[in-house]
Amino acid sequence: METLLLWAFYIFTFYAFLPGFISRTFGFRVFQKGNTSRQIALTFDDGPDEKYTPQLLDLLAKYGVKATFFVVGTHAEKHPEIIKRMHDEGHSIGIHNYVHKSNVLMRPGTVQKQIELTSRIIESATGKKPDFYRPPWGIVNLFDFSPKQMQIILWSSMFGDWRKSLGAEKLACRMMKRMRGGEVFLLHDCGQTFGADEEAPAQMLVALEQFLDAAYDKGFTCVRVDQMEGFKRKLPNMVPLYKRFLIILWLGWEKVFHVLARLDTLDTEEPIFHIRKRTYSGAPVDLRDGQRIVNGDTYVELHFDNRRLKEFSEQSRSSVHLAIQFIRAVEKALPYMASRLASDPKYRSAKAMLGISMIHRGSEHLGFDVKDMPDGLFARATKVYLRFLLSVLHPQGTKRIAGGKEKSRSNESLMPKMIWMSADVLKDKYDSDLSVPEQESGTQVHDRVVSLVGSRSDSLEKTSVL
């Protein structure tokens, strides 16, 4: 019995708990909040209801508001005329399963059948296939992230409006407190699901009208989810599911590591470095400006922001384009680093900066000294880690590491190195007043990147600073 319970715990953890935690915490493959100052998205679950949904549509029409409805297939099947009215009046319609049942309690194939059946019902009534999906209670399972699925929409604010005892005034008060740009409200236009009060939508309609009056007076606009400024569908790309899952786990661990290691984030608009103060122990290191780093010297340990590296990889059309983005970001950050070392008493005594990187050529242009890592367990473990990271993050990473006919040169280029820069070089090369350098054209940066890394085929090695 204990073994069965343990296996049940493991299955629940990996099938539902971890995917739900990851999607909520990191926004993986879900949309749950917009990035806008004056728009709020209204979403309604569990309908349509023959009594309350028409009243809701009348209210939305009165205020000229568009909303997003996540309908239950069995209800939509009974009231296709309401589904058609939603569509005809400009609202967006998504799927909330055929029956209101948690995905945790269903096999992946059963969930898919529920979605497909509800999709056909909506398409039959409107002539259009739905694009959006909201799992009941917002609980996703591992297979909801499948590329065959549609965009998952969650929410940023819910109010307990399925309970009649809450009352319209208290509900309206809760909604007023969340009147902020980018919020995705979760409300219910049907009280026939498990745990809900059948008459609760009547209270919701009263509270919603009060909210719409207040929102109008304060200059807010209520919109469909897909009309919200900055809305971007987080649909899956061609990266295999196992890679996406590894990336999420790795980014999650990196957050934990930053806390455990007490890293400081360099203050820039888009942070690219995380740093901490360290005391050097090892063989003396001679830098090109004459500085010598010996046991007991203080230095700054650099950690490249790997979330930014992931973003660069996703946005890059090629290895050269990725290197261009990296060079621009690092050059933009180094003046901030010089300012931090000059102004922060914690780092003022540092003689140098040190990072571990796969850079072989080109980093000297930025002022770094490249040194071989002392042979040992740490060097070998770092090599494995960085090669794994490159294979996961970059679309050509696995192919790059495999090497083909350039395997030997590729393996040599992917050896991690120590990247040093003395504090004096940082101060001399990068003014601490953060003055903006003259902007280079895309062609100039491209030519400089190619000249630094030697050729297009070698440029990928320039991008993996950690």
Side-chain angles (χ1 to χ4, degrees), residues 261-273:
R262 299 182 180 180
L263 298 185
D264 295 322
T265 298
L266 190 64
D267 296 326
T268 64
E269 293 179 3
E270 296 180 307
I272 196 169
F273 287 128

Side-chain angles (χ1 to χ4, degrees), residues 68-71 83 87 91-95 112 115-133 148-151 224 226 233 235:
T68 305
F69 290 84
F70 292 94
V71 302
I83 299 297
H87 175 74
H91 303 291
S92 181
I93 305 172
I95 295 171
Q112 185 63 36
I115 292 173
E116 291 174 353
L117 179 55
T118 308
S119 178
R120 289 196 295 270
I121 292 169
I122 296 171
E123 184 179 14
S124 176
T126 66
K128 181 180 181 298
K129 287 185 176 181
D131 296 320
F132 303 138
Y133 174 61
K148 295 181 179 179
Q149 292 285 19
M150 44 189 62
Q151 171 66 67
R224 299 180 342 202
D226 57 321
R233 297 191 183 191
L235 292 174

Side-chain angles (χ1 to χ4, degrees), residues 200-215:
Q203 308 290 339
M204 183 275 294
L205 290 170
V206 174
L208 179 60
E209 185 160 15
Q210 294 179 31
F211 175 83
L212 291 175
D213 277 329

Side-chain angles (χ1 to χ4, degrees), residues 124 230 293 336-337 388 426:
S124 176
I293 310 300
Y336 289 89
M337 181 69 73
F388 162 77
L426 178 69

